[in-house]
Amino acid sequence: LLALCGTGATVFSRIGGVCSATGGYGAAVADEGSGYWIGREAFIAAIRDVEGRGEHTSLSDAIAAKLGYGGRKRLRESIFSIYSDSTRSPTATVAHFTPTVVEEAAEGDAVSAGILKDAAGLLFAQLSYLWDRCGAKDGVPLTVCGSVWRGNPVFTNEFKRLLKEKRNGAELIAPRIEPVLGVLAKRIYKTTGKFTDDDAKRLSLLYPEFSYDINKAK
């Protein structure tokens, strides 16, 4: 099982040689729990805060500041600016705010922490659906991939909590290297018939820019 969560979110399985997936419907439809979803929820929370119809959140200042408009008093202008950015699509810009949500949560913003926990819950729900649909055993290996996992303890810990509570304590195996090194890992496996922890460590030392640790920011 693989829970991919970056700008978009998709959960994959390969059980008994049969490959399946759920999620990954794109930002226009869903992408629940993804970086885009997290960013969009942050923008919505900030708008509600500034308009006096939602909980106070530091995201209102953080979003405007990151877009170059100072603070919450210019939030509206800052949001409209993303539509005239010729270097990046609005979807990519919104997804780019996931680290901002992580930072604000680390500073104690309850709204940001709530968004990250909700995102983890949505991703877990998709995983759980696929798990049952494929008839996967509780001990099937589960790993993750994607930028949202990096340096995001609130999201990761909530996902792990749900695994423990609802999936008999299933273990999440944190990847050691980025997917881009998969071709080298596959070559080692095909040549030697195995891919060990020492192999992963060696690749991490050879290509430190592609080492992967979900507990550290990229």
Side-chain angles (χ1 to χ4, degrees), residues 39 42-43 46 58-68 75 78-79 97 100:
F43 274 75
S58 59
L59 287 167
S60 304
D61 286 302
I63 289 173
K66 189 169 182 177
L67 288 169
L75 178 67
S78 72
I79 291 175
F97 275 84
T100 303

Side-chain angles (χ1 to χ4, degrees), residues 25-95:
Y25 296 103
V29 175
D31 266 352
E32 294 176 296
S34 67
Y36 170 74
W37 186 92
I38 291 170
R40 182 172 177 270
E41 289 298 302
F43 274 75
I44 291 172
I47 292 167
R48 289 173 177 169
D49 170 26
V50 168
E51 293 184 354
R53 53 190 179 90
E55 189 176 349
H56 175 78
T57 173
S58 59
L59 287 167
S60 304
D61 286 302
I63 289 173
K66 189 169 182 177
L67 288 169
Y69 284 79
R72 63 179 56 227
K73 290 183 178 180
R74 299 188 68 190
L75 178 67
R76 183 179 178 85
E77 295 170 78
S78 72
I79 291 175
F80 277 110
S81 74
I82 72 175
Y83 300 108
S84 57
D85 186 348
S86 61
T87 64
R88 186 161 48 191
S89 71
T91 296
T93 298
V94 170

Side-chain angles (χ1 to χ4, degrees), residues 181 184 188 199-210:
L181 295 182
L184 297 181
I188 293 171
D199 293 324
K201 183 177 180 179
R202 186 165 63 254
L203 286 179
S204 293
L205 291 173
L206 287 171
Y207 305 98
E209 68 273 31
F210 297 121

Side-chain angles (χ1 to χ4, degrees), residues 5-6 98-99 102-103 116 144-156 175-179 208-218:
C5 195
T98 294
V102 174
E103 291 165 7
L116 295 174
V144 301
C145 178
S147 59
V148 172
W149 293 100
R150 296 291 291 266
N152 194 351
V154 174
F155 178 88
T156 301
R176 300 276 295 276
I177 55 177
E178 295 273 15
E209 68 273 31
F210 297 121
S211 64
Y212 193 102
D213 184 346
I214 64 177
N215 298 311
K216 293 181 180 180
K218 188 170 183 178

Side-chain angles (χ1 to χ4, degrees), residues 171-192:
E171 180 184 3
L172 187 154
I173 303 170
R176 300 276 295 276
I177 55 177
E178 295 273 15
V180 70
L181 295 182
V183 65
L184 297 181
K186 184 177 181 179
R187 182 178 181 182
I188 293 171
Y189 180 80
K190 292 187 74 173
T191 302
T192 66

